[in-house]
Amino acid sequence: MKTLSIDIETYSDIPLQKTGVYRYVESPDFEILLFAYSVDSQPVQVIDLACGEKIPKEILLALEDENVIKWAFNATFERICLSRFLGYPTGEYLNPESWRCSMIWSATMGLPLSLEGVGAVLGLEKQKLSEGKDLIKYFCQPCAPTKANGQRTRNRPFQAPDKWAMFKKYNIRDVETEMGILQRLAKFPIPAQIWDEYHLDQKINDRGVRLDMDLVAAAIEMDTRSRKELTDTMKTITELENPNSVQQMKAWLSDNGLETDTLGKKAVTDLLKTAPPKLAQVLTLRQQLAKSPVRKYQAMEKTVCADGRARGMFQFYGANRTGRFSGRNIQLQNLPQNHLSDLAEARSLVRSGNFEAVKLLYEDVPDTLSQLIRTAFIPREGTQFLVADFSAIEARVIAWFAGEKWRQDVFAKGGDIYCASASQMFKVPVEKHGINGHLRQKGKIAELALGYGGSVGALKAMGALDMGLTEDELPPLVDAWRQSNPNIVKFWWDVDRAVMEAVKFKHTTSQYGLTFSCRSGMLFITLPSGRKLAYVKPKIGTNKFGGQCITYEGIGSTKKWERLDSYGPKFVENIVQATARDILCYAMQTLRYCSIVMHIHDEVVIEADSSMSLDAVCKQMGRTPPWAKGLLLRADGYATPFYKKD
């Protein structure tokens, strides 16, 4: 036996979508109902565990045999469920290194992250059966007790034999579809380095990170009390039955001389500038209510495993176009920032449940709780967190690709690119926390907004007007940035031409350390790391301005599979972000023997004992990959007893 393709159907009373698979399998009611498999691409067999059948001994042995490659679509689910089935305790799971995931393979090709979606796009002969959702709901989840069903709380095979027979066919078909995907993608093999990255990702997910559940419980309770007090105060002032109602609040504001079409965050901020005291008080209270952080804390409560650690928070290749990681469950990628100078003291007060002290000292309780979300992540006893992150990684990468010398000089001298950019644009010296330091944020916004072809609209979207810039200042700002970065602008349009040539003429061209090619209905951009970005079924199309552009199929903003368009700067954005992702993965590989528990954007969090050197971690993380000669990297870091943004 060389390969084993697997799909399982399971039951648990814990909702998978809300908790993730690690918590899902901890239910005492968890069980595997059906186990479908194929050995070395032979016809699929199904084992009906729910009806007393047993998995053959040689198959059980293969699950733990490192020489047998196990395949599944979203293999994490099968691996963790089978770990529990085999009796592994919380925190111990089947070694991921002999597992491969056809979902990840599909993702590297720019395909959807669902078995149904991949099968449809590839036009497989054996597609996922559409009856699956209803059957899963019937057999795999608890049901509401009713008089008609005899007050039962779950459905068993004998209660619907026809449905059960269909469920077994569905289980078999999933393996057949998965095998069809492997067959279809065989001509586009995944490089070994990506599987190495995937295995490291799985180990980080398996390790998880400890949560301070005392803080979490206290924060949820405090939020509930705060929300009640804020709502009661609003009721007293407005005499509204439900002051949280948008319609009721808009009507009340109108009756009091303040007209508004919306009560969104930005609109409320603008209204506060001119609102009279009584109305300002109500709007401020509404703002505080809108800041409620309780969902993050509740996600922690739902996700935490029996040993106090949250697991499965990272989706490898979650970002379809770039291959960057995306968040799951607690969603670490969008944690609120913390700016409290006495973070530890605030944390201690919340943890002890001292609501009155928090209210007295910090006034805005929801905002305080929001700023403390990061601190709920704590290292295991006797260790600390070492947090290291790349300095301006995307700015460094695009300067390196484009050969923008003045930028590279800034990095070589250890300068701050946002200060340097602001200095270029405003023609004054800018120092972080020093002379004209207030301009740094504007430089940062310009960098983030304009680096990928953005113009006035992008600056506005980044909050330029809220920071004091006027409408009249924005067009000259765009011009100034582009004039000071001519090589980056050239990079955009050189990439545009290279992609157009690859799609139109099927030519393969190389420049900037990138290779552009088109074959088998796919556009590929090969990065310096050797990894390929894939675009499905590329064509020459027409953009909204009537000019030529590249179109391809992918998941759009609607979360549906559709035809999308792109052009040079957008491709550059994909290239830069994908390269930054590859650098992060390289850094994590160099630190793989450290206990990495989290990575957020360009930041790595390590659970370390006192003997581990922060300087050594930062130095190791800042090593330039062998495929990125000349790229100047820097990593900075800090030690902390709880996670925070330094």
Side-chain angles (χ1 to χ4, degrees), residues 297-585:
Y297 289 115
Q298 288 171 338
M300 294 176 186
E301 204 171 42
K302 291 169 183 171
T303 304
V304 69
C305 294
D307 60 355
R309 299 179 79 88
R311 294 181 169 87
M313 293 182 289
F314 309 99
Q315 174 60 61
F316 186 75
Y317 243 93
N320 196 278
R321 239 83 68 206
T322 62
R324 293 198 297 180
F325 296 83
S326 62
R328 291 290 181 269
N329 305 324
I330 301 173
Q331 292 292 350
L332 299 182
Q333 314 297 342
N334 60 1
L335 296 174
Q337 292 189 355
N338 53 263
H339 301 287
L340 293 173
S341 57
D342 54 348
L343 201 62
E345 184 179 343
R347 186 180 186 279
S348 178
L349 289 171
V350 171
R351 198 171 185 273
S352 64
N354 196 335
F355 179 82
E356 295 301 331
V358 173
K359 188 177 172 183
L360 177 67
L361 292 171
Y362 303 101
E363 296 185 1
D364 192 337
V365 175
D367 180 66
T368 304
L369 295 177
S370 181
Q371 294 199 50
L372 292 177
I373 288 173
R374 292 173 185 263
T375 75
F377 299 99
I378 56 175
R380 59 181 168 80
E381 293 290 344
T383 66
Q384 61 182 344
F385 282 152
L386 298 183
V387 183
D389 73 331
F390 288 113
S391 167
I393 183 72
E394 288 188 31
R396 291 170 182 266
V397 169
I398 197 169
W400 172 68
F401 269 124
E404 201 66 79
K405 189 175 181 307
W406 75 264
R407 288 172 163 270
Q408 292 176 301
D409 289 344
V410 171
F411 297 129
K413 294 172 183 175
D416 184 302
I417 190 61
Y418 302 134
C419 288
S421 188
S423 184
Q424 287 266 73
M425 289 185 291
F426 297 109
K427 310 301 180 188
V428 294
V430 179
E431 296 178 11
K432 189 176 182 180
H433 309 308
I435 186 170
N436 298 314
H438 65 285
L439 294 176
R440 182 183 183 272
Q441 189 63 16
K442 295 180 181 180
K444 185 175 182 178
I445 282 178
E447 287 293 305
L448 297 175
L450 305 179
Y452 305 124
S455 187
V456 170
L459 284 170
K460 287 181 179 177
M462 291 296 297
L465 297 179
D466 295 332
M467 294 189 59
L469 289 168
T470 66
E471 286 270 6
D472 293 341
E473 288 180 282
L474 300 187
L477 192 62
V478 173
D479 293 339
W481 192 92
R482 292 183 180 182
Q483 288 168 13
S484 61
N485 293 280
N487 290 324
I488 291 178
V489 175
K490 183 175 182 295
F491 181 35
W492 298 341
W493 303 116
D494 285 348
V495 167
D496 190 80
R497 282 187 290 273
V499 171
M500 194 73 70
E501 185 176 335
V503 175
K504 191 180 286 187
F505 304 111
K506 304 298 183 286
H507 290 173
T508 297
T509 59
S510 295
Q511 53 184 317
Y512 297 100
L514 303 162
T515 300
F516 305 86
S517 59
C518 200
R519 65 185 179 96
S520 303
M522 303 288 292
L523 165 68
F524 293 106
I525 301 176
T526 305
L527 303 171
S529 65
R531 187 167 68 91
K532 290 181 171 70
L533 303 185
Y535 301 82
V536 180
K537 299 178 182 177
K539 293 180 181 178
I540 305 296
T542 305
N543 61 28
K544 61 183 179 182
F545 304 109
Q548 281 192 336
C549 69
I550 297 297
T551 71
Y552 62 94
E553 292 183 5
I555 302 291
S557 56
T558 61
K559 305 297 182 184
K560 294 179 179 177
W561 190 257
E562 57 188 321
R563 186 154 284 277
L564 308 167
D565 62 70
S566 192
Y567 69 121
K570 274 191 185 179
F571 284 115
V572 166
E573 182 176 17
N574 290 170
I575 290 164
V576 170
Q577 292 182 349
T579 302
R581 174 261 182 216
D582 291 348
I583 292 166
L584 175 68
C585 283

